[in-house]
Amino acid sequence: MRGLRINACWVPHVFLFLIVVLNLLPGTRCVNGDDYSRTKSAAVLSEVTQLIYSRLSIVTRYISTNLKSTMGFCIKNLDEDWNTAFNFSGKLEFLSECIKQTDGDVTDRICTAGEIQLYFKSFIASELKRSNYLKPNKNCNLSSWASGCEPGWGCRVGQKVDLKVMDLPPRTRDCQPCCSGFFCPEGLTCMIPCPLGSFCPRAKLNQTTGLCDPYSYQIPAGEPNHTCGGADMWNAFELKNDIFCSAGSHCPSPIRKYICSSGFYCRVGATAQQSCLKLTACGRGTANQKIHAYGIILIVLLSLVLLIVYNCSDHVLAIREKRAAKTREAAARHARETAQARERWKSTRNLVKKRKVGLQEQMSRAFSRKKSVRGQSEPLKTSAAASKEKKKEPSNLTKMMQSFEDDPNGNEGFDLQIGDKNIKKQVPNVKNLHTHSQIFKYAYGQLEKEKAMQQPSNLTFTGLIQMATDTEVKTRPVIEVDFKDLTLTLKGKEKTLLRCVTGKLLPGRVSAVMGPSGAGKTTFLSALSGKVTGCTVTGSILINGKSEPMHSYKKIIGFVPQDDIVHGNLTVEENLRFSARCRLSANMPKPDKVLVVERVIESLGLQSVRDSLVGTVEKRGVSGGQRKRVNVGIEMVMEPSLLILDEPTTGLDSASSQLLLKALRRESREGVNICMVVHQPSYALFRMFDDFILLAKGGFVVYHGSVKKVEEYFAGIGIDVPERVNPPDHFIDILEGIVKPSSGVKHEELPVRWMLHNGYPVPEDMLHYLDGIAASSAGPKPVMKRDQSFAADMWKDVKSSVEVKKDHLQHNFFTSKDLSNRVTPGVVRQYRYFVGRVGKQRLRDAQMLAADYLILLLAGAILGTLGKVKDETFGAHGYMYTVIAVSLLCKISALRTFSLDKLQYWRESSSGISSLAHFLSKDTLDHFNTIVKPLVYLSMFYFFNNPRSSFQDNYVVLLCLVYCVTGIAYAIAIYLDPSPAQLWSVLLPVVSTLIANQAKDNLLAKHVANFCYTKWALEAFFIANAERYSGVWLITRCTALSKRGFNLDDWTLCLIVLIAIGVLSRILAFILMVTFQKK
């Protein structure tokens, strides 16, 4: 019994313990707002607060899921955006205060899901964007308007309602002011929590203005018991910004507001203060840190770097060229000394051999006589003499002579053996030469070997290379051009440029084409080279006796234009070397290409200016005569089989002309067929030609034959050349009608006489010149054509223009089988050569590039200062200025990429150099500007403008923008001339930006804006900045995006569109480049 009593005593204690434990366990007691109204306990208040917040969180999350379908354009990450606005964890002080103010019936006053959704959808409707009230509803309409419908007031429901219900419950009981931390919209009788970043205290009446500060609404008239309530509206910042936490302060909860401390800054709508960077002055209540100091430091540093580049780029290149020149001079000196020493040793060896043979004969005769006289004593003397010779050491000269006798193939005392084919084993392999010094030694060695050995005058370039490699001699393919009855007529104009031209151009001969102005000399050369377009060609042109297109041999045909089309920002040697690299055979070793270039430089007399820039109009370079010789040398280095030159001696003095013609005559000894137009050559220069073609006006041939027989032919028809008169000048004066022959021969008869002399058929309209018959009494009379109407003439001109354009396109895209048997470097290899050349040009133009960067720096600083970021517009104005400025500046600079060297490209592409390699190399090096220019601009704009978006986001958008506008500039520069290209580069960004900004108001402009790159750039900038605005800025962000038709999810799409436009514009630019070439 005792044990039973003890156990029974423990029962009350255990029961009490269970009660305490159960009370301590969470969730074991069900509480609501009424519990606090009865108990007024702080512990119950905390539990009620948590309970109401959990219900509120469920409602807000439920609402956010429903709003995603209608507001997805402005909400990228639903959970993140909603949490930044309504995640009050640890910040529930405002909810507890509201429970106190309402005696625990907060749940009955909070808006349901349907009411909150009605409020948020109101901002999507266009008619409510500028109003501060909602549409009439069940509780607030014309017939029912409770006091809770007024701004800042709310009411409770008559019965318990689930907060997740989507219908509007009746809510007109117990209306009172809205709690702090909540807002009550006009026309909606419930409370909605103020988002994070807002400050929503109870309003106070301003007796002076009669407004409820700080919300600026009035108390309804005639209701003296109605006081100021709470916050009344959460709207876009530009429409109503009363609840936004002011600049210079931060609001950790909707009912607490603190001024920003010193060393920190607080922007509008901040929930916490952010520390300022160093070198920035942030006092108490600072709204935004001023990071101008960083911008100033960057602009100073970048300016110093650019100034150094601007002033030192020429010096760096000059030092590099001097070092290359020293290496080349040392190699030339070494090769020259080696060649001369080798030849001296050869002559010395030959002399020693001759003297040794004579000495042996003399000693043999002397010894035979002594032997017959002295008999037995000879062996004793010879043995004594031998013993004396053993004691005497041979001299160094004797040793070297003996080494020549013992080993004729030895190469002692020589670093590089040249000039003797017996030592080919010691000569380094051509393909193993890598360094500049070795290559220069090889090339100069071959040049000096020719001089030292004094080879015959018919030694060719190919022969020199064969001497070095000891292979079979490879000759150039020969081209013989036969033309018969060649006639050219302009399409649509019935104007004859050439007529009945018959003759032949033979390989190994230099032909001169002369005649008065308008005789068709250049047209004749263009027809022979296959470059004539826009003309109807009749007759035949045979290549080596076969009817084949001239384009099939373009790799071995050189055409020197009349204008000096060379790269002025390259040196003489660089111009020649690039042409040799791209146009010589790909299988030719690099040292052999260097040898060809050195040969041309020496033959043209360009040794003294080989390292000098050719020069441009703005920058002085070599002289005009030297520039002309460089123009010719570009074609000579590719070792052509047919070389056509259009007035190569124009502008040259007599000495320079003779030097050039001597070089061409040496070239003709290779079997090259050379034909050139010459104006007023001197008599000495005229006698250096092999053949002479004289054209009359109208494109008729007056003479075609040997220079030596031209005077004989004209003397036979009664035209004698007076004394001290240059024959070609006299003949041209006769053809011009300035001089009349004493024999009475008319200049109109000269073409007919040449036809009769060679047995060519005479055209019917020229038969009246036969046998001196007067033109008025012989031959058919000209028939006067009836004038056509204006419409017929206009149609004829249009038709001819279309035909000419078609002819140009066919010529540019015409492809034929390659018959030159020369395999030039492929696209990849030429791309490497182009990259090297364009890189040198950009380095020499570094001053212009530095000026572009300085302008970008100034533009970024100025626009960053003027286009300050306004929170209500998310910095749209500053970004609009950025798009226009960057587009304009980058386009203007990108125009130089293709507009400055159009003529050079046309010349190179017509000779077979890859257009794709040319385009890709320039675009590749422009990628440097594409990467650097956004950094240069943002280094100023970002620090002076200080947007909320990150530097990385702005840089990515600018990178895509610069890539896009660069491609557009390519197309403009290629298709248009420089002046209209600059005009379009200025107008295009301005006009397209205006269209992009008007797209929201006009349906047609909206569709057109989709094709404007500025629309996508502005959208990318705007989205990147708007995404950084969250919390209380959510409605402002949605309203701004809705107005402009933007979507937060389209940021990546905008970048893709910009890149796609850049790629497509580059493709278009390349097509234009290969299509619309020089006419």
Side-chain angles (χ1 to χ4, degrees):
M1 294 296 293
R2 182 177 177 83
L4 182 63
R5 283 198 304 269
I6 295 173
N7 292 335
C9 293
W10 280 99
V11 172
H13 296 283
V14 171
F15 183 72
L16 180 62
F17 175 76
L18 290 175
I19 292 176
V20 173
V21 170
L22 290 175
N23 287 329
L24 293 176
L25 289 176
T28 58
R29 181 176 59 176
C30 183
V31 295
N32 53 33
D34 296 335
D35 295 335
Y36 175 75
S37 62
R38 293 193 303 268
T39 62
K40 304 295 182 178
S41 172
V44 175
L45 177 62
S46 177
E47 293 181 13
V48 172
T49 301
Q50 290 293 337
L51 175 63
I52 296 176
Y53 175 65
S54 62
R55 293 177 181 178
L56 187 63
S57 298
I58 295 174
V59 174
T60 55
R61 191 167 300 277
Y62 178 75
I63 295 172
S64 65
T65 305
N66 294 332
L67 290 177
K68 177 64 177 176
S69 58
T70 56
M71 302 180 67
F73 66 93
C74 62
I75 300 177
K76 186 175 182 180
N77 188 324
L78 182 62
D79 294 334
E80 181 180 352
D81 287 336
W82 205 254
N83 287 333
T84 55
F86 297 105
N87 186 2
F88 299 103
S89 299
K91 306 173 184 178
L92 299 178
E93 183 182 3
F94 76 100
L95 188 56
S96 299
E97 292 294 330
C98 186
I99 294 174
K100 293 178 182 180
Q101 295 173 7
T102 59
D103 289 335
D105 62 350
V106 178
T107 308
D108 298 334
R109 298 180 180 274
I110 294 177
C111 294
T112 63
E115 291 171 314
I116 296 177
Q117 188 170 358
L118 173 65
Y119 176 80
F120 279 103
K121 283 186 176 181
S122 66
F123 296 102
I124 303 174
S126 58
E127 64 271 12
L128 293 180
K129 283 185 178 179
R130 295 186 177 276
S131 60
N132 293 334
Y133 56 89
L134 303 177
K135 286 183 177 180
N137 52 70
K138 182 187 298 185
N139 298 316
C140 301
N141 49 60
L142 294 178
S143 59
S144 174
W145 190 266
S147 59
C149 296
E150 297 295 337
W153 277 58
C155 306
R156 59 176 297 181
V157 294
Q159 57 185 359
K160 297 294 180 181
V161 178
D162 188 0
L163 294 179
K164 294 188 293 183
V165 67
M166 298 304 297
D167 296 330
L168 268 69
R171 191 188 298 272
T172 56
R173 297 179 58 186
D174 192 14
C175 298
Q176 63 182 17
C178 197
C179 293
S180 299
F182 290 82
F183 69 95
C184 299
E186 182 180 4
L188 196 65
T189 60
C190 61
M191 299 190 306
I192 301 176
C194 289
L196 292 174
S198 62
F199 181 60
C200 303
R202 283 277 183 95
K204 295 181 180 180
L205 180 63
N206 189 327
Q207 300 296 336
T208 304
T209 61
L211 299 177
C212 295
D213 291 338
Y215 305 114
S216 303
Y217 60 83
Q218 293 179 339
I219 298 176
E223 297 184 13
N225 295 328
H226 194 94
T227 61
C228 292
D232 66 325
M233 182 64 66
W234 176 28
N235 207 333
F237 185 85
E238 59 181 347
L239 299 179
K240 192 172 180 63
N241 54 17
D242 299 333
I243 70 171
F244 284 78
C245 190
S246 60
S249 302
H250 64 99
C251 304
S253 70
I255 61 173
R256 292 290 180 264
K257 181 179 179 181
Y258 303 100
I259 298 177
C260 215
S261 304
S262 178
F264 296 87
Y265 70 97
C266 301
R267 297 186 179 187
V268 177
T271 59
Q273 55 186 4
Q274 298 180 357
S275 60
C276 294
L277 299 173
K278 295 181 179 180
L279 303 180
T280 58
C282 293
R284 179 178 171 82
T286 301
N288 197 356
Q289 60 177 343
K290 296 181 180 180
I291 53 177
H292 298 70
Y294 289 94
I296 295 173
I297 292 173
L298 278 175
I299 196 171
V300 171
L301 293 178
L302 289 174
S303 299
L304 288 176
V305 173
L306 293 176
L307 287 175
I308 292 173
V309 173
Y310 184 88
N311 293 311
C312 299
S313 58
D314 290 340
H315 298 289
V316 173
L317 292 173
I319 293 173
R320 184 176 179 274
E321 291 169 359
K322 287 180 180 179
R323 293 183 63 183
K326 289 181 179 179
T327 303
R328 186 169 49 250
E329 292 173 0
R333 184 170 60 255
H334 181 276
R336 183 163 53 252
E337 293 174 354
T338 304
Q340 293 174 357
R342 186 64 190 174
E343 293 307 314
R344 287 198 299 270
W345 277 112
K346 286 176 61 179
S347 60
T348 303
R349 185 182 62 181
N350 294 333
L351 181 60
V352 169
K353 285 183 178 180
K354 292 180 181 179
R355 296 186 63 181
K356 177 182 178 182
V357 173
L359 182 59
Q360 287 177 348
E361 294 178 353
Q362 183 179 1
M363 290 178 66
S364 62
R365 289 195 297 268
F367 284 144
S368 62
R369 287 195 298 269
K370 291 179 180 180
K371 184 178 180 181
S372 62
V373 175
R374 300 186 180 183
Q376 300 296 329
S377 62
E378 183 178 359
L380 298 175
K381 293 182 179 180
T382 54
S383 62
S387 63
K388 291 181 180 180
E389 289 180 0
K390 289 181 181 180
K391 297 179 181 179
K392 186 178 181 182
E393 292 292 334
S395 63
N396 292 334
L397 180 60
T398 304
K399 289 182 179 180
M400 299 179 76
M401 291 168 58
Q402 289 177 355
S403 66
F404 267 110
E405 295 299 327
D406 296 337
D407 186 10
N409 297 328
N411 59 345
E412 291 185 6
F414 299 96
D415 296 331
L416 180 64
Q417 298 295 338
I418 54 177
D420 194 344
K421 64 181 180 180
N422 293 328
I423 60 172
K424 62 183 180 181
K425 294 183 180 180
Q426 302 295 333
V427 178
N429 188 2
V430 173
K431 295 183 179 181
N432 294 331
L433 299 180
H434 301 291
T435 65
H436 288 291
S437 180
Q438 289 176 331
I439 293 172
F440 285 140
K441 285 179 181 179
Y442 171 84
Y444 280 101
Q446 306 309 309
L447 296 176
E448 294 298 334
K449 179 167 67 174
E450 180 191 6
K451 297 177 182 179
M453 295 181 66
Q454 297 181 356
Q455 293 293 333
S457 59
N458 60 355
L459 183 67
T460 64
F461 291 177
T462 312
L464 284 174
I465 297 174
Q466 183 271 337
M467 291 167 60
T469 59
D470 198 20
T471 59
E472 295 181 0
V473 177
K474 296 180 181 180
T475 59
R476 303 184 195 179
V478 296
I479 292 182
E480 179 181 308
V481 183
D482 296 330
F483 43 92
K484 183 178 181 181
D485 292 334
L486 184 61
T487 302
L488 271 72
T489 305
L490 283 177
K491 291 184 178 180
K493 297 186 179 180
E494 299 181 358
K495 180 180 180 180
T496 302
L497 303 180
L498 286 179
R499 189 173 183 187
C500 302
V501 178
T502 302
K504 180 183 295 187
L505 298 179
L506 299 175
R509 299 180 69 84
V510 182
S511 303
V513 180
M514 301 184 194
S517 299
K521 301 181 292 298
T522 302
T523 304
F524 173 66
L525 295 185
S526 299
L528 293 182
S529 60
K531 297 179 180 294
V532 65
T533 57
C535 297
T536 302
V537 182
T538 59
S540 61
I541 299 178
L542 303 179
I543 309 299
N544 295 331
K546 299 179 182 179
S547 180
E548 295 171 341
M550 192 65 73
H551 286 275
S552 300
Y553 298 91
K554 66 179 180 180
K555 290 184 179 180
I556 56 175
I557 295 177
F559 184 86
V560 180
Q562 182 175 353
D563 299 324
D564 300 332
I565 303 175
V566 294
H567 292 278
N569 50 6
L570 293 178
T571 64
V572 172
E573 182 182 358
E574 288 168 351
N575 274 284
L576 301 180
R577 186 169 65 245
F578 177 81
S579 180
R581 282 182 172 182
C582 292
R583 301 175 66 183
L584 288 174
S585 176
N587 298 325
M588 180 181 289
K590 182 179 179 180
D592 294 342
K593 293 181 181 180
V594 174
L595 175 60
V596 173
V597 174
E598 297 297 330
R599 272 288 176 187
V600 173
I601 291 177
E602 183 180 7
S603 62
L604 293 176
L606 298 173
Q607 300 94 328
S608 60
V609 295
R610 64 183 302 155
D611 295 322
S612 301
L613 293 177
V614 175
T616 58
V617 177
E618 296 85 4
K619 193 173 183 179
R620 177 70 177 175
V622 299
S623 65
Q626 293 165 342
R627 184 185 180 93
K628 179 72 71 174
R629 280 177 273 167
V630 174
N631 188 33
V632 177
I634 288 177
E635 302 299 327
M636 289 177 61
V637 294
M638 51 87 64
E639 294 191 337
S641 297
L642 174 62
L643 182 58
I644 299 175
L645 305 95
D646 190 5
E647 302 184 17
T649 59
T650 301
L652 301 182
D653 54 23
S654 179
S656 299
S657 299
Q658 288 191 14
L659 179 63
L660 176 60
L661 195 53
K662 286 179 181 179
L664 294 175
R665 287 189 62 83
R666 284 194 294 269
E667 193 79 3
S668 67
R669 292 172 185 170
E670 290 270 345
V672 181
N673 194 342
I674 300 177
C675 182
M676 56 191 297
V677 173
V678 184
H679 272 305
Q680 294 180 339
S682 63
Y683 183 74
L685 194 66
F686 176 69
R687 299 296 297 180
M688 295 176 68
F689 291 103
D690 297 316
D691 296 326
F692 178 46
I693 302 175
L694 185 60
L695 298 177
K697 289 187 175 181
F700 293 100
V701 177
V702 175
Y703 178 81
H704 180 15
S706 175
V707 171
K708 299 178 181 179
K709 297 182 180 180
V710 60
E711 295 186 44
E712 179 183 350
Y713 166 76
F714 279 101
I717 60 176
I719 300 178
D720 295 322
V721 180
E723 294 183 0
R724 299 183 180 179
V725 176
N726 195 10
D729 294 341
H730 183 66
F731 300 147
I732 293 175
D733 289 342
I734 292 176
L735 293 175
E736 286 280 8
I738 299 175
V739 177
K740 295 183 179 180
S742 58
S743 60
V745 178
K746 298 181 179 180
H747 66 274
E748 295 90 349
E749 302 175 3
L750 295 180
V752 178
R753 290 181 178 273
W754 175 251
M755 296 177 187
L756 294 177
H757 177 77
N758 292 276
Y760 301 151
V762 180
E764 294 184 359
D765 58 342
M766 300 183 69
L767 293 176
H768 56 277
Y769 292 116
L770 295 176
D771 299 328
I773 301 176
S776 59
S777 60
K781 295 183 179 180
V783 178
M784 298 296 294
K785 294 184 179 180
R786 184 178 180 182
D787 293 338
Q788 296 181 352
S789 63
F790 176 79
D793 291 338
M794 185 175 181
W795 171 250
K796 186 177 180 181
D797 291 339
V798 172
K799 185 178 179 181
S800 62
S801 299
V802 173
E803 291 179 352
V804 170
K805 196 65 178 178
K806 179 181 177 182
D807 196 11
H808 286 316
L809 294 177
Q810 290 178 349
H811 175 76
N812 293 334
F813 286 99
F814 177 75
T815 57
S816 58
K817 183 179 179 181
D818 184 24
L819 301 175
S820 60
N821 295 326
R822 175 181 289 185
V823 180
T824 55
V827 176
V828 177
R829 196 169 174 183
Q830 290 190 32
Y831 170 77
R832 288 171 47 208
Y833 297 151
F834 270 106
V835 169
R837 185 184 76 175
V838 178
K840 290 180 181 178
Q841 292 175 318
R842 296 292 170 84
L843 286 176
R844 293 193 173 103
D845 293 337
Q847 297 179 351
M848 189 174 296
L849 187 63
D852 291 339
Y853 289 163
L854 285 175
I855 294 174
L856 276 174
L857 286 174
L858 294 176
I862 295 172
L863 295 181
T865 304
L866 297 179
K868 281 293 185 181
V869 174
K870 294 183 179 180
D871 291 323
E872 60 270 21
T873 61
F874 299 103
H877 296 298
Y879 287 129
M880 182 181 66
Y881 301 151
T882 293
V883 171
I884 295 176
V886 173
S887 299
L888 194 150
L889 295 176
C890 292
K891 278 184 182 179
I892 293 296
S893 61
L895 290 178
R896 299 194 297 265
T897 302
F898 288 98
S899 61
L900 296 181
D901 59 351
K902 281 186 178 180
L903 296 178
Q904 288 84 346
Y905 163 72
W906 290 334
R907 177 178 182 177
E908 292 170 354
S909 62
S910 63
S911 62
I913 296 180
S914 173
S915 298
L916 182 60
H918 173 86
F919 184 88
L920 291 179
S921 63
K922 287 180 173 289
D923 187 38
T924 300
L925 290 176
D926 271 346
H927 288 340
F928 175 79
N929 288 331
T930 304
I931 295 173
V932 174
K933 284 186 175 181
L935 285 174
V936 173
Y937 179 82
L938 276 182
S939 64
M940 294 296 101
F941 177 82
Y942 188 83
F943 291 104
F944 281 88
N945 190 266
N946 198 11
R948 295 200 183 189
S949 55
S950 65
F951 186 91
Q952 294 83 352
D953 291 342
N954 285 273
Y955 174 74
V956 171
V957 177
L958 266 185
L959 182 71
C960 297
L961 175 62
V962 174
Y963 180 81
C964 175
V965 299
T966 302
I968 296 174
Y970 288 168
I972 295 175
I974 291 172
Y975 184 71
L976 299 175
D977 292 332
S979 295
Q982 293 178 0
L983 179 61
W984 275 100
S985 297
V986 173
L987 289 178
L988 189 60
V990 176
V991 174
S992 58
T993 302
L994 292 176
I995 294 175
N997 285 330
Q998 297 298 323
K1000 58 182 180 294
D1001 301 328
N1002 191 322
L1003 182 61
L1004 178 61
K1006 183 177 181 180
H1007 291 291
V1008 175
N1010 291 329
F1011 298 95
C1012 298
Y1013 72 92
T1014 53
K1015 182 257 185 186
W1016 301 99
L1018 285 172
E1019 183 173 356
F1021 277 124
F1022 193 89
I1023 291 173
N1025 201 34
E1027 191 176 358
R1028 301 287 175 170
Y1029 288 79
S1030 58
V1032 71
W1033 292 98
L1034 187 59
I1035 290 181
T1036 308
R1037 184 173 76 184
C1038 292
T1039 304
L1041 291 172
S1042 177
K1043 284 182 178 180
R1044 291 171 171 80
F1046 296 161
N1047 193 322
L1048 280 183
D1049 295 327
D1050 290 344
W1051 189 73
T1052 304
L1053 175 63
C1054 295
L1055 302 183
I1056 294 174
V1057 172
L1058 289 175
I1059 295 175
I1061 294 175
V1063 173
L1064 292 176
S1065 59
R1066 280 166 170 79
I1067 295 174
L1068 176 62
F1070 178 73
I1071 295 174
L1072 294 174
M1073 187 178 71
V1074 299
T1075 303
F1076 298 97
Q1077 295 189 13
K1078 186 178 181 181
K1079 302 178 181 180

